[in-house]
Amino acid sequence: MSELRIRQAVRALLVTDADEIMLVRFEFPKGTVWSTPGGGLERGEDHLAALHRELEEEVGLSAPTISRHVWNREHITPHMDGRYDGQQDRFYLVPTQRFEALPV
């Protein structure tokens, strides 16, 4: 059996002082998925750099204070583009004030 192709990704648990958590909606041809903000690492990027980039792109949050790494998750499910067999997510806590998401 060949080695699984696992995409490396990072996610943010954006939590306000009122314990609100932000989710983003992703629309795919086969349905809607709600998830924490984040995404795959680009070539040469580490997890924290990728998280800063993804938060700017997906919700318009610039230069957030990233707290601690809180969880890892690996799920095996083929990606629609066929490049990956699954994904490994690293989750970080990101305390924030409530804001309106403005994707870039």
Side-chain angles (χ1 to χ4, degrees):
M1 183 172 160
S2 64
E3 188 72 22
L4 291 175
R5 299 164 299 160
I6 303 297
R7 179 181 187 228
Q8 296 299 308
V10 64
R11 301 244 164 243
L13 294 173
L14 289 167
V15 181
T16 69
D17 293 341
D19 290 332
E20 299 164 306
I21 296 175
M22 178 180 278
L23 297 176
V24 292
R25 184 177 69 205
F26 296 98
E27 296 290 340
F28 295 107
K30 293 187 178 184
T32 301
V33 176
W34 289 88
S35 181
T36 55
L41 276 63
E42 293 182 356
R43 184 177 299 275
E45 220 174 21
D46 65 26
H47 285 86
L48 294 178
L51 188 55
H52 278 280
R53 177 183 51 75
E54 289 287 345
L55 288 172
E56 177 88 33
E57 291 174 1
E58 291 185 359
V59 299
L61 187 58
S62 297
T65 299
I66 297 174
S67 182
R68 59 191 168 87
H69 170 233
V70 294
W71 187 42
N72 290 326
R73 174 184 75 161
E74 183 172 288
H75 51 105
I76 306 302
T77 184
H79 284 221
M80 290 180 299
D81 63 10
R83 294 183 352 195
Y84 298 102
D85 303 309
Q87 183 162 298
Q88 186 176 66
D89 294 308
R90 185 178 290 187
F91 288 79
Y92 286 87
L93 179 62
V94 181
T96 187
Q97 298 298 313
R98 188 175 219 204
F99 67 96
E100 183 177 343
L102 299 170
V104 175

